[in-house]
Amino acid sequence: MDLTGFSAIALAKKIQAKEISVEEAVRDTLAQIEKKEPDIHSFITVDAKGALAQAREVQKKIDAGSLTGALAGVPIAVKDNLCTKGLLTTCGSKMLSDFVPAYTAEAVQRLKHAGMVVVGKTNMDEFAMGSTTETSYYGPTKNPWNLAHVPGGSSGGSCAAVAAGQCVCALGSDTGGSIRQPSAFCGVTGIKPTYGTVSRYGLVAYGSSLDQVAPVAKDVSDCAALLEVLAAHDPKDSTCVKRDDTDFTSALVRDVKGMKIGIPRDYFADGLDAQVKESVLHAADVLRDLGAEVSEFDLSLVKYAVPAYYVIACAEASSNLERFDGVKYGWRAKQYEGLHDMYKKTRSEAFGAEVKRRIMLGSFVLSSGYYDAYYLKALRTKALIKQAFDKAFASFDLILCPAAPYTAPKIGESLKDPIQMYLGDIYTVAVNLAGLPGISLPVGVDAAGLPIGMQLIGDCFQEKKLIRAAFTYEQESAFMRCPYAGGKAERSGGK
């Protein structure tokens, strides 16, 4: 039985209707993981025993009528930078290769409270630093649409697992596009909520002012349902916001009449692949035909987003990763002379090249004599970028643009030129700098059969507008499912 063809909501309905049991759903998911994992390598840890134990407990609650949520009984995968009590949490790094947390991240707790079953931890770029899931200590994840290509990153394991049919949905984290970009590369849907909507408690920090836990799924409806589960005030996270408008599934309405959508000219200039541009503009035409008011505008400061992001993110990473020194937990060098030598050898042995590069960059911009010239200037640029978005949202409900300037590159290409990899984040990082919500959804495939993603960006706390527009487009377009998972690729949208 292959249940991974169902959406998460459809699978939960079958479980509630007693057509299948939670244990059957979990066993089928574990079978799909085992079958496809040698090709895709989406997971670092698969918790078969724990998942089956969870399934039996959840089934008892469903039978007793105490669990009736829209996602009760659904198996889910979790990115390996979210702490899980008693289950290995590595962040894709040798540094945490033996780290088993004593507590569970709040976002994962909320999944379990809703009756979802965590089946394992997905592969990722080391400490979420990368755009391809190639920097993982455990080896690269492959794109199920074409195994010679990357799935994107840093949440590439989560997105590839959903695309390949290894699970119906997953959790990731988004610091500068780490949900939206791999969702685009893998032909799935990912939504990054407004900063502070989901608790970061238990998320191993990369850039604390930018990180946000986010869901990835097959369609907009599943993402909305997952976000509804995740969004809640958490006093353990001082940046978590108390919101009263978290009924995101109420926005699953097929209607964009009168909605004002802006297309930034800056995002469609040189450097954008022609096929990506064509597919994204075709999606804009679909929304226009459905009654949205679509027009172009100038969004200033775009060229400063990537440098400002990498200065801020690397500075925060440099600070956050100081705690990994071999003293309290994680890897420790076997041979050393004295405390400082242990620090140096431990960090040299256990951090990968990309993590070291970003730590050094962050330490440099925070150092005496350079702090004002780089870090403070980046913070001022961040404020100006937020002002530019505020000005845009005074005229538009949403902004429509590509999720990435090209489709998934081949494995090995991006790591040859880190600067080019960083520039690939041009359409996503500004959203994190401004704390805005964004959603990526598939709008077609290129001539090579690789998915193309469109990004919709909303103003702070306007996820419902994003969901409504994305859902409306999705209902009018051809459903895309990865051929590896038994689907058929479509060149462009259409009924």
Side-chain angles (χ1 to χ4, degrees), residues 189-236:
T189 301
I191 183 169
K192 177 239 175 244
T194 304
Y195 181 79
T197 297
V198 180
S199 171
R200 292 187 299 109
Y201 177 78
L203 171 68
V204 180
Y206 164 19
S208 303
S209 73
L210 307 166
D211 297 337
Q212 188 69 165
V213 181
V216 56
K218 294 178 182 177
D219 58 30
V220 177
S221 298
D222 281 359
C223 279
L226 278 164
L227 190 55
E228 205 164 284
V229 168
L230 295 168
H233 177 63
D234 178 14
K236 299 185 296 298

Coordinates of all heavy atoms in Angstrom, one line a residue, residues 189-236:
T189 N 5.6 22.5 -1.9 CA 5.2 23.8 -1.4 C 5.7 24.1 0.0 O 5.7 23.2 0.9 CB 3.6 23.9 -1.3 OG1 3.1 23.7 -2.7 CG2 3.1 25.2 -0.8
G190 N 6.3 25.2 0.2 CA 6.8 25.6 1.5 C 6.4 27.0 1.9 O 6.5 27.9 1.1
I191 N 6.1 27.2 3.2 CA 5.7 28.5 3.6 C 6.5 28.9 4.8 O 6.7 28.2 5.8 CB 4.2 28.6 4.0 CG1 3.8 30.0 4.4 CG2 3.8 27.6 5.0 CD1 2.3 30.3 4.4
K192 N 7.1 30.1 4.7 CA 7.9 30.7 5.8 C 7.0 31.8 6.5 O 6.6 32.8 5.8 CB 9.2 31.3 5.3 CG 10.0 32.0 6.4 CD 10.2 33.5 6.1 CE 10.9 34.2 7.2 NZ 10.1 35.3 7.8
P193 N 6.6 31.6 7.7 CA 5.7 32.6 8.3 C 6.4 33.8 8.8 O 7.7 33.9 8.8 CB 5.1 31.8 9.5 CG 6.2 30.8 9.9 CD 6.8 30.5 8.6
T194 N 5.7 34.8 9.2 CA 6.3 36.0 9.8 C 7.2 35.7 11.0 O 6.8 34.8 11.7 CB 5.2 37.0 10.3 OG1 4.3 37.3 9.2 CG2 5.7 38.3 10.8
Y195 N 8.3 36.3 11.1 CA 9.2 36.1 12.2 C 8.5 36.2 13.5 O 7.8 37.2 13.7 CB 10.4 37.0 12.1 CG 11.5 36.8 13.2 CD1 12.4 35.8 13.1 CD2 11.5 37.6 14.3 CE1 13.3 35.6 14.1 CE2 12.4 37.4 15.3 CZ 13.3 36.4 15.2 OH 14.3 36.2 16.2
G196 N 8.6 35.2 14.3 CA 8.0 35.2 15.6 C 6.7 34.5 15.7 O 6.1 34.3 16.8
T197 N 6.2 34.0 14.6 CA 4.9 33.2 14.6 C 5.1 31.9 15.2 O 4.2 31.4 15.9 CB 4.4 33.1 13.1 OG1 4.1 34.5 12.6 CG2 3.1 32.3 13.1
V198 N 6.2 31.2 14.9 CA 6.5 29.9 15.4 C 7.7 29.9 16.4 O 8.7 30.6 16.1 CB 6.8 28.9 14.3 CG1 7.1 27.5 14.8 CG2 5.7 28.9 13.3
S199 N 7.5 29.2 17.5 CA 8.6 29.2 18.5 C 9.9 28.7 18.0 O 9.9 27.7 17.3 CB 8.2 28.4 19.7 OG 9.2 28.2 20.6
R200 N 11.0 29.4 18.3 CA 12.3 28.9 18.0 C 13.0 28.1 19.1 O 14.1 27.7 19.0 CB 13.2 30.1 17.6 CG 12.9 30.8 16.3 CD 13.9 31.8 15.9 NE 14.0 32.9 16.9 CZ 15.1 33.0 17.7 NH1 16.1 32.2 17.7 NH2 15.1 34.0 18.6
Y201 N 12.2 27.9 20.2 CA 12.8 27.1 21.3 C 13.1 25.7 20.9 O 12.2 24.9 20.4 CB 11.8 27.1 22.5 CG 12.2 26.3 23.7 CD1 13.1 26.8 24.6 CD2 11.7 25.0 23.9 CE1 13.5 26.0 25.7 CE2 12.1 24.2 25.0 CZ 13.0 24.8 25.9 OH 13.4 24.0 26.9
G202 N 14.3 25.3 21.0 CA 14.8 23.9 20.6 C 15.3 23.9 19.2 O 15.7 22.8 18.7
L203 N 15.2 25.0 18.4 CA 15.8 25.1 17.1 C 17.3 25.5 17.3 O 17.6 26.5 17.9 CB 15.1 26.1 16.2 CG 15.8 26.4 14.9 CD1 15.7 25.2 13.9 CD2 15.1 27.6 14.3
V204 N 18.2 24.7 16.9 CA 19.6 25.0 17.0 C 19.9 26.2 16.2 O 19.8 26.2 14.9 CB 20.5 23.8 16.6 CG1 22.0 24.2 16.8 CG2 20.2 22.6 17.5
A205 N 20.4 27.3 16.8 CA 20.4 28.6 16.1 C 21.5 28.7 15.1 O 22.6 28.3 15.3 CB 20.5 29.7 17.2
Y206 N 21.2 29.3 14.0 CA 22.2 29.8 13.0 C 22.2 31.3 13.1 O 23.2 31.9 13.6 CB 21.8 29.3 11.6 CG 22.5 29.9 10.4 CD1 23.6 30.7 10.5 CD2 21.9 29.8 9.1 CE1 24.2 31.3 9.4 CE2 22.5 30.4 8.0 CZ 23.6 31.1 8.2 OH 24.2 31.7 7.1
G207 N 21.2 32.0 12.6 CA 21.1 33.4 12.7 C 19.8 33.7 13.5 O 18.7 33.7 12.9
S208 N 19.9 34.0 14.8 CA 18.8 34.1 15.7 C 17.7 35.1 15.2 O 16.5 34.9 15.5 CB 19.2 34.4 17.1 OG 20.2 33.5 17.5
S209 N 18.1 36.2 14.6 CA 17.2 37.3 14.2 C 16.5 36.9 12.9 O 15.6 37.7 12.4 CB 17.9 38.6 14.1 OG 18.7 38.7 13.0
L210 N 16.9 35.8 12.2 CA 16.5 35.5 10.9 C 15.8 34.1 10.9 O 14.9 33.9 10.0 CB 17.6 35.5 9.9 CG 18.5 36.7 9.9 CD1 19.8 36.4 9.1 CD2 17.7 37.9 9.2
D211 N 16.2 33.2 11.7 CA 15.6 31.8 11.7 C 14.1 31.8 12.0 O 13.6 32.5 12.8 CB 16.3 31.0 12.8 CG 17.8 30.8 12.6 OD1 18.3 30.9 11.5 OD2 18.5 30.5 13.6
Q212 N 13.5 30.9 11.3 CA 12.1 30.6 11.6 C 11.7 29.2 11.2 O 12.0 28.7 10.0 CB 11.1 31.6 10.8 CG 9.7 31.5 11.2 CD 9.4 32.0 12.7 OE1 8.2 32.2 13.0 NE2 10.4 32.1 13.5
V213 N 11.1 28.4 12.1 CA 10.6 27.1 11.8 C 9.5 27.1 10.8 O 8.6 28.0 10.9 CB 10.2 26.3 13.1 CG1 9.7 24.9 12.7 CG2 11.3 26.3 14.1
A214 N 9.5 26.2 9.8 CA 8.5 26.3 8.7 C 8.1 25.0 8.2 O 8.9 24.0 8.2 CB 9.0 27.2 7.6
P215 N 6.9 24.8 7.6 CA 6.4 23.5 7.1 C 6.7 23.4 5.6 O 6.7 24.4 4.9 CB 5.0 23.5 7.4 CG 4.5 25.0 7.4 CD 5.8 25.8 7.8
V216 N 6.8 22.2 5.1 CA 6.9 21.9 3.7 C 5.9 20.7 3.4 O 5.8 19.8 4.2 CB 8.3 21.6 3.2 CG1 8.9 20.5 4.0 CG2 8.3 21.2 1.7
A217 N 5.2 20.8 2.3 CA 4.2 19.8 2.1 C 3.9 19.7 0.6 O 4.5 20.4 -0.2 CB 2.9 20.1 2.8
K218 N 2.9 18.9 0.2 CA 2.6 18.8 -1.2 C 1.8 19.9 -1.8 O 1.9 20.2 -3.0 CB 1.9 17.4 -1.5 CG 2.7 16.2 -1.2 CD 1.9 15.0 -1.4 CE 2.7 13.8 -1.0 NZ 2.0 12.5 -1.2
D219 N 1.0 20.5 -0.9 CA 0.1 21.6 -1.5 C -0.1 22.6 -0.4 O 0.4 22.5 0.7 CB -1.2 21.0 -1.9 CG -2.0 20.2 -0.9 OD1 -1.8 20.6 0.3 OD2 -2.7 19.3 -1.2
V220 N -0.8 23.7 -0.8 CA -1.0 24.8 0.0 C -1.9 24.5 1.2 O -1.7 24.9 2.4 CB -1.7 26.0 -0.8 CG1 -2.0 27.2 0.1 CG2 -0.8 26.4 -1.9
S221 N -2.9 23.6 1.0 CA -3.8 23.2 2.1 C -3.1 22.6 3.3 O -3.3 22.9 4.4 CB -4.9 22.3 1.6 OG -5.7 22.9 0.6
D222 N -2.2 21.7 2.9 CA -1.4 21.0 4.0 C -0.5 22.0 4.7 O -0.3 21.9 5.9 CB -0.5 19.9 3.4 CG -1.3 18.6 3.1 OD1 -2.5 18.6 3.4 OD2 -0.7 17.6 2.6
C223 N 0.1 22.9 4.0 CA 1.0 23.9 4.6 C 0.2 24.8 5.6 O 0.7 25.1 6.7 CB 1.7 24.8 3.5 SG 3.1 24.0 2.8
A224 N -1.0 25.2 5.2 CA -1.9 26.0 6.0 C -2.2 25.2 7.3 O -2.2 25.8 8.4 CB -3.1 26.4 5.3
A225 N -2.6 24.0 7.1 CA -3.0 23.2 8.3 C -1.8 23.0 9.2 O -1.9 23.0 10.5 CB -3.5 21.8 7.8
L226 N -0.6 22.7 8.7 CA 0.6 22.6 9.5 C 0.9 23.9 10.3 O 1.3 23.9 11.4 CB 1.8 22.1 8.7 CG 1.9 20.6 8.3 CD1 2.8 20.4 7.2 CD2 2.3 19.9 9.6
L227 N 0.8 25.0 9.5 CA 1.1 26.3 10.2 C 0.2 26.6 11.3 O 0.5 27.2 12.3 CB 1.1 27.4 9.1 CG 1.7 28.7 9.5 CD1 3.1 28.6 10.1 CD2 1.6 29.7 8.4
E228 N -1.1 26.1 11.1 CA -2.1 26.3 12.2 C -1.7 25.6 13.4 O -1.9 26.0 14.6 CB -3.4 25.9 11.7 CG -4.6 26.5 12.3 CD -5.9 26.3 11.5 OE1 -6.1 27.0 10.5 OE2 -6.7 25.5 12.0
V229 N -1.1 24.4 13.3 CA -0.6 23.6 14.4 C 0.6 24.3 15.1 O 0.7 24.3 16.3 CB -0.3 22.2 13.9 CG1 0.5 21.4 15.0 CG2 -1.5 21.4 13.6
L230 N 1.5 24.8 14.3 CA 2.8 25.3 14.8 C 2.6 26.7 15.4 O 3.4 27.0 16.4 CB 3.8 25.4 13.6 CG 4.2 24.1 13.0 CD1 5.0 24.4 11.7 CD2 5.0 23.3 13.9
A231 N 1.7 27.5 14.9 CA 1.7 28.9 15.4 C 1.0 29.0 16.8 O -0.1 28.8 16.9 CB 0.9 29.7 14.4
A232 N 1.8 29.4 17.7 CA 1.3 29.7 19.1 C 2.3 30.4 19.9 O 3.5 30.2 19.7 CB 1.0 28.3 19.7
H233 N 1.9 31.2 20.8 CA 2.8 31.9 21.7 C 3.5 31.0 22.6 O 2.9 30.1 23.2 CB 2.1 33.0 22.5 CG 3.0 33.7 23.4 ND1 4.0 34.5 23.0 CD2 3.0 33.8 24.8 CE1 4.6 35.0 24.1 NE2 4.0 34.6 25.2
D234 N 4.8 31.2 22.7 CA 5.7 30.3 23.6 C 6.5 31.2 24.5 O 7.4 31.9 24.1 CB 6.6 29.4 22.8 CG 7.5 28.6 23.6 OD1 7.2 28.4 24.8 OD2 8.4 28.0 23.1
P235 N 6.2 31.2 25.8 CA 7.0 32.1 26.7 C 8.4 31.7 26.8 O 9.3 32.5 27.3 CB 6.2 31.9 28.1 CG 5.5 30.6 27.9 CD 5.1 30.5 26.5
K236 N 8.8 30.5 26.4 CA 10.2 30.1 26.4 C 11.0 30.8 25.3 O 12.2 30.7 25.3 CB 10.3 28.6 26.3 CG 9.6 27.8 27.4 CD 9.8 26.3 27.2 CE 9.2 25.7 26.0 NZ 7.7 25.8 25.9

